[in-house]
Amino acid sequence: AAMWRALAAAAAPARALLRTPPARRAASLAVSPAAGPADERVETRVTGLSPGQPVTLRAVAADDRGCLFQSCAHYRADSRGELHLGTDASHGGDYTGVEPMGLFWSLAPAGMEKPYQRLLPRSTGAPMKVEVLVHQGHSPPGAMPGPVVAKAEVQRLFTAPGVRRIRLKEGVVRGSLFLPPGDGPFPGVIDMYGDEGGLIEFRSSLLATRGFAALSLPYFDFEDLPRVMKELKLEYFEEAARFLQRHPKVKGPGVGVIGTGKGAELALSMITFLPEVVAAVSISGCSSNTVADLHYGEMTLPGLRFDMKKVSVSDSGVFDIFEALDDPMNPANSPSVIPIEKAEGHFLLVVGEDDRMWKSSLYAELAIRRLRQHGKENFELLSYPGAGHRIDPPSTPFCQVALDRVLGVPVLGGGESKAHAHAQEHSWGKIQEFLHLHLG
C-alpha cells in the first residue's frame, strides 16, 4: 500500500500539469423530453460553457437501413455560459436564426452516403434515435467537428403507448389500421401518399397518437395489389371507406381522408363520389385526375400525362418536372377534371408556393374557382410561401431533391428548408383542427 501511495504522490505533479487550463465545471446537454412524440418540439439546453464560447451543435441519426443523416448549427453561449435553442439564434451551419427544432428538420444524408434520400421511418413500432452532440468551436457542415464536450440521445416516437396497429386484409383492401388507446369511438381518417407506392405508415401512426382512427391505405406496389399504377378503380377506395366507417371504434356518420400528391388527388375524387367521405385534406394535390385512369362503375376520369420532353435536367443531374404535366386548363383535358362541386363535404387544400413537382398552387386555385362557380364555400386554403411539395408532419427532415422511386432519378421537390419546416408545423395543427371540426 505504501508503494502505491508513493507512486500516486509521484504522479500528482504530472497530473497537475495535465489539469491546466484551470478545470471548470463540465458542459452538460439536456434535451427534453428524452423520449416523446415525433411531431412535438423538444427543448434543448446546454449549460457549463464559458461565457460567449463558440460551439457547434450536431444531430446524427440512422434510418432503418443504416444510412447516416446529420445536421449542424453554430451557437455562442450567453454571459452565463448557457445556451437555449428555444431563444438563442444559430449563426451558421445548416440553418440560422432561432429554430428550436432546426437540428431535426435539417437532417440530411451524411457526406459518405448516397444523396437525395429521405429520413423516414419504415417501421413505426421502434422510435427514431437521434444523438445530439455539442462540439468545441465552429465547424462548417461536412468538416471534421471539434472535440465533443457534451451529448445526449433523444427518442422520437411515432406511436404512443397503447396505440394498436392492425394489419388489414379486408376483402380487396390492404394496409394498416392504427387505433388510439381507449374505448372510442374516434374520428376515422384514411391516409394516402403519392406515386412512390407501398405502405407509408408514419403519418397514420401519429394521427392515432393524436386521437384519430387512421387507416394507412396503399393502392399499388404492396402485397397483392398491382405492381404499378396503370389504372385505378374507385371501388377499392370505396371499400376502404366503408370498412372504416363501419368499424366499431370509428365515430360516424362519415370519415375523412388525407392525401399527399397523387394521394391528395385521390382524396378529392373520394369526397366527390363517395358519400361516406365528408372531409378531405389535399396536400399538394391536382384538381384533375393524373397519370392513371380512374374508373368508377361506368365512369372514367382519364389521367393527365407527363410529357418527358418538357422535363429539364440540371448540370448535377437533377430532374425538374414542373412544366411536364398536361395543362388541366386546356379544354381538351376537361374530361380529367374532378367534378368536386358534387361533393357534400369539406375541403382543406394545403400547398407550398415553391412546389416544383407540379403547380399545386395553380391547381388549388382552379379547385377553388370551380367550387365558387357552383356557389360553394366549403373549403379552406393553407398556402405557404417558400414551402415545397411534401408537407409532412412537423420536424420531418426537409428534402429538396429526392430520388423518385418510379423514375429512379433525383427529382426537384422545391422549397427552402426553414419555410418548409414552418409550413409543416403550422399545417399539422390546422389539419387536426379541420378533421375534428368535420368528423367530431
Side-chain angles (χ1 to χ4, degrees), residues 13-23:
R15 270 210 306 277
L17 283 172
L18 289 173
R19 267 212 305 274
T20 53

Side-chain angles (χ1 to χ4, degrees), residues 46-93:
V46 188
T47 53
L49 299 169
S50 311
Q53 182 179 346
V55 289
T56 298
L57 264 68
R58 272 176 76 232
V60 182
D63 69 9
D64 311 36
R65 290 169 298 202
C67 171
L68 210 60
F69 290 75
Q70 57 185 17
S71 60
C72 76
H74 300 159
Y75 289 91
R76 277 188 189 279
D78 65 15
S79 57
R80 297 191 305 277
E82 294 180 1
L83 193 53
H84 180 219
L85 267 54
T87 52
D88 293 324
S90 160
H91 306 293

Side-chain angles (χ1 to χ4, degrees), residues 209-225:
T209 294
R210 299 280 162 232
F212 295 91
L215 169 56
S216 184
L217 186 68
Y219 46 97
F220 73 103
D221 196 22
F222 180 73
E223 291 184 351
D224 55 358
L225 296 175

Side-chain angles (χ1 to χ4, degrees), residues 56-61 69-73 93-95 101-108 130-131 133 141:
T56 298
L57 264 68
R58 272 176 76 232
V60 182
F69 290 75
Q70 57 185 17
S71 60
C72 76
D94 290 320
Y95 62 90
M101 296 302 292
L103 286 172
F104 293 82
W105 53 249
S106 61
L107 282 162
V130 182
E131 190 170 33
L133 305 111

Side-chain angles (χ1 to χ4, degrees), residues 307-352:
D307 178 355
M308 294 317 276
K309 291 195 289 293
K310 291 185 181 164
V311 173
S312 62
V313 186
S314 74
D315 295 343
S316 57
V318 173
F319 283 59
D320 184 342
I321 62 173
F322 187 65
E323 296 289 349
L325 187 67
D326 288 345
D327 179 6
M329 295 195 292
N330 179 340
N333 293 325
S334 62
S336 299
V337 175
I338 303 164
I340 55 173
E341 70 280 358
K342 294 183 174 169
E344 292 296 318
H346 290 262
F347 297 89
L348 177 62
L349 308 171
V350 183
V351 297

Side-chain angles (χ1 to χ4, degrees), residues 123-435:
S123 131
T124 55
M128 185 180 285
K129 293 177 181 168
V130 182
E131 190 170 33
V132 182
L133 305 111
V134 184
H135 296 268
Q136 278 178 29
H138 286 167
S139 44
M144 270 298 288
V148 176
V149 295
K151 61 180 180 177
E153 188 185 79
V154 191
Q155 297 195 3
R156 309 287 282 157
L157 311 173
F158 289 88
T159 310
V163 166
R164 284 169 55 212
R165 172 180 179 268
I166 301 155
R167 283 302 299 279
L168 273 201
K169 268 201 161 149
E170 192 68 36
V172 294
V173 179
R174 301 291 172 263
S176 299
L177 176 63
F178 290 87
L179 293 174
D183 295 336
F186 309 103
V189 182
I190 291 171
D191 175 26
M192 298 178 295
Y193 272 92
D195 58 10
E196 63 268 57
L199 177 65
I200 300 175
E201 298 177 313
F202 75 103
R203 184 165 61 193
S204 302
S205 65
L206 286 172
L207 283 167
T209 294
R210 299 280 162 232
F212 295 91
L215 169 56
S216 184
L217 186 68
Y219 46 97
F220 73 103
D221 196 22
F222 180 73
E223 291 184 351
D224 55 358
L225 296 175
R227 280 277 304 129
V228 292
M229 188 173 61
K230 274 214 180 70
E231 48 183 1
L232 293 167
K233 288 189 163 61
L234 197 63
E235 282 83 356
Y236 173 79
F237 302 91
E238 181 174 51
E239 200 169 316
R242 286 180 177 168
F243 162 79
L244 190 62
Q245 184 196 31
R246 291 175 187 154
H247 195 282
K249 292 262 185 185
V250 172
K251 222 185 235 187
V255 296
V257 58
I258 177 171
T260 298
K262 178 67 189 175
E265 169 203 310
L266 284 164
L268 297 182
S269 290
M270 286 169 75
I271 193 173
T272 297
F273 297 110
L274 309 179
E276 296 82 1
V277 178
V278 299
V281 180
S282 160
I283 300 172
S284 310
C286 185
S287 48
S288 292
N289 186 54
T290 67
V291 184
D293 294 356
L294 181 68
H295 306 283
Y296 186 45
E298 299 296 297
M299 180 207 74
T300 297
L301 289 182
L304 297 181
R305 303 294 181 211
F306 280 97
D307 178 355
M308 294 317 276
K309 291 195 289 293
K310 291 185 181 164
V311 173
S312 62
V313 186
S314 74
D315 295 343
S316 57
V318 173
F319 283 59
D320 184 342
I321 62 173
F322 187 65
E323 296 289 349
L325 187 67
D326 288 345
D327 179 6
M329 295 195 292
N330 179 340
N333 293 325
S334 62
S336 299
V337 175
I338 303 164
I340 55 173
E341 70 280 358
K342 294 183 174 169
E344 292 296 318
H346 290 262
F347 297 89
L348 177 62
L349 308 171
V350 183
V351 297
E353 293 173 21
D354 194 27
D355 183 350
R356 295 294 302 176
M357 240 359 171
W358 58 16
K359 302 173 182 178
S360 50
S361 287
L362 169 68
Y363 305 151
E365 219 174 282
L366 295 177
I368 288 169
R369 192 184 305 167
R370 190 173 181 101
L371 290 170
R372 287 204 163 129
Q373 276 167 354
H374 290 84
K376 297 211 153 183
E377 289 290 333
N378 54 342
F379 62 87
E380 284 173 65
L381 171 67
L382 297 175
S383 184
Y384 295 101
H389 182 68
R390 253 188 78 150
I391 299 173
D392 271 328
S395 304
T396 302
F398 172 68
C399 191
Q400 190 181 47
V401 175
L403 214 54
D404 187 275
R405 213 194 53 86
V406 184
L407 301 171
V409 297
V411 173
L412 184 61
E416 179 276 312
S417 59
K418 189 188 291 197
H420 192 88
H422 292 179
Q424 292 193 149
E425 184 150 358
H426 183 264
S427 62
W428 186 236
K430 291 290 184 191
I431 287 166
Q432 292 174 64
E433 277 173 32
F434 169 83
L435 291 170

